[in-house]
Amino acid sequence: MKKSVTYTPWGGQQKMKQIPVKDLKPDSYCSDDLYLDEEYILLPPEVPVSSELINRLVRWGFLTVWSNGSLSDNPPGGILPVEEGEGGTGQEAPSLVVDAAEQKTLQAVREFFSDLVTFCEKTYSAFLNNQRLNPGTVADKAKEVITAVRLHQPFIFRIQEMDDPRRNYLIVHSAKTAILAAGLGLRLQIPQFKLVDLVTAALLHEIGMIRLPPQLYLSNRVLTPEEKRAITAHPVIAYKTLRSFGFPIPVCLAVLEHHEHMDGSGYPRGLKGDQISVAARIMGICSTYAALTAERPYRPPAEGHTSLLDMMKRAGKWYDEMLLRSLIFMLSLYPIGSYVMLQSGAKGLVVESNPENPRCPVVKILFDDRGHRLKDPILVRTDEGINTIRRALTQKEVEELLG
């Protein structure tokens, strides 16, 4: 191992050691949390290293990971696997391990998202109050978003759980759009430098809107012609603002064009098809989905499945059809984080997309057909028989289910 260094993962002071990836072995354990770097947790101590994790690290070019602990062939003290014939069926341990790992990852994702929203808030405030906007700082944050999305799929796509009514809607919306854009860009294998520009644009795409009175973008009343002109001018304001601070042209154009439609019905310039940059087309799709599934003062959040179906009605008209389909394959037609009812009557949470069929994601069954919560949730594929999805649950049904 290399010498110890000190940094601050997730805001806490710890002394960490670098561990070469080549020293990781399948089914080995680390006695403390294993981190990719100073920000991102890979595994909690109770979860063994997998061959898949090692292969991903190698494929992504990571040579070292970090931990305050040490590697071992055995689980940390107090964590014992359940053996067949010794007080169990051998099936309890995996479900407990999955839940423990899931909770760790979800907590890491929530903390990352909160940090990202705080960054957006400070960035927009610095612009509004002090006319300061640093391209390098925003690009660095964009790189962090890309790394977090790469590591924490599919958990990080559960954006419906991340509303924060205490914050300005546009700030939270920008963070959600950036996460979705990073995921879609990674799925499309966009080169890293273009991906950084895309996520930078997503983080700042509301910089023009933030200068308008909140009642304009939060109101459900019919806007006056003057107010409509103000709304449709916000991409131009944002473009001019970003250009004045020296942001790259691709970033500025993506922000300028993210409300353009494939059929020419969008604004501010009425561009069509390939006249619209790919980054703007991606951002328009991601921004729309993030907006539809968010709670607003004048309406509850739309369910993810319904939102995607509504967007599909405008595929090829408003949205690039290929890019929209890519988003659906990434999230599944019943998006990650959605609650659904199966044909059996059981209810569960969509936890992973199915790369072969977006209609049939992986579901964790949480409640049986009589509404009883399962002690050990069951993971199922939903592509056949009683495990196929009957429908998505409404927001009211979810609230009643979870109590």
Side-chain angles (χ1 to χ4, degrees), residues 112-113 116 119-120 138 141-142 145-146 149 156-157 159 171-186 195 198-205 282-283 286-287 290 330:
F112 174 80
F113 185 78
L116 181 59
F119 171 83
C120 292
V138 183
K141 181 57 69 173
V145 173
I146 294 163
V149 170
I156 202 164
F157 295 139
I159 63 167
I171 301 296
V172 179
H173 174 72
S174 297
K176 288 182 177 182
T177 302
I179 286 171
L180 292 171
L184 192 49
L186 286 167
L195 188 55
L198 169 64
V199 179
T200 297
L203 289 169
L204 296 174
H205 76 287
I282 291 173
M283 205 162 64
C286 294
S287 177
M330 181 178 84

Side-chain angles (χ1 to χ4, degrees), residues 33 41-48 93-111 151-156 158 161-162 336-337 339 348-352 362-366 373 376-380:
D33 289 334
I41 190 171
L42 286 172
L43 288 177
E46 63 268 26
V47 179
S95 65
L96 291 174
V97 166
V98 168
D99 284 347
E102 212 172 79
Q103 290 305 314
K104 280 273 189 178
T105 305
L106 280 172
Q107 181 61 26
V109 165
R110 290 185 182 115
E111 290 179 6
L151 282 174
H152 293 317
Q153 298 183 45
F155 299 94
I156 202 164
R158 289 164 65 164
E161 302 174 16
M162 298 181 189
I336 295 163
Y339 286 86
L349 179 72
V350 177
V351 295
E352 189 175 339
V362 177
V363 168
K364 176 182 280 191
I365 299 178
L366 303 174
R373 184 185 287 271
D376 294 314
I378 304 168
L379 286 175
V380 297

Side-chain angles (χ1 to χ4, degrees), residues 74 95 97 197 340 347 353:
N74 300 311
S95 65
V97 166
D197 283 347
V340 295
K347 301 177 181 70
S353 61

Side-chain angles (χ1 to χ4, degrees), residues 222-375:
V222 176
L223 299 179
T224 67
E226 183 179 344
E227 289 172 333
K228 287 181 180 179
R229 282 195 296 273
I231 290 289
T232 56
H234 84 267
V236 177
I237 296 171
Y239 172 83
K240 291 180 177 179
T241 297
L242 298 182
R243 286 291 293 138
S244 70
F245 283 98
F247 281 85
I249 285 292
V251 172
C252 301
L253 286 177
V255 171
L256 175 66
E257 298 171 358
H258 75 278
H259 279 294
E260 301 287 0
H261 295 157
M262 298 299 287
D263 62 1
S265 63
Y267 62 86
R269 295 188 290 167
L271 301 180
K272 291 183 179 181
D274 291 341
Q275 294 176 324
I276 309 166
S277 68
V278 173
R281 284 181 256 167
I282 291 173
M283 205 162 64
I285 288 170
C286 294
S287 177
T288 299
Y289 179 76
L292 290 174
T293 55
E295 183 173 2
R296 306 293 290 273
Y298 51 86
R299 63 158 174 80
E303 186 270 319
H305 176 64
T306 302
S307 298
L308 289 176
L309 290 180
D310 285 345
M311 293 176 69
M312 286 175 64
K313 295 175 184 176
R314 296 184 173 91
K317 298 177 182 177
W318 285 16
Y319 312 113
D320 184 306
E321 186 170 0
M322 186 276 288
L323 295 178
L324 181 56
R325 288 184 180 277
S326 294
L327 179 74
I328 292 170
F329 268 92
M330 181 178 84
L331 298 177
S332 91
L333 194 56
Y334 297 89
I336 295 163
S338 300
Y339 286 86
V340 295
M341 177 186 290
L342 306 184
Q343 291 296 341
S344 65
K347 301 177 181 70
L349 179 72
V350 177
V351 295
E352 189 175 339
S353 61
N354 179 349
E356 298 174 0
N357 188 344
R359 295 178 180 273
C360 304
V362 177
V363 168
K364 176 182 280 191
I365 299 178
L366 303 174
F367 298 85
D368 65 19
D369 58 345
R370 292 170 295 177
H372 297 153
R373 184 185 287 271
L374 300 183
K375 180 180 179 182

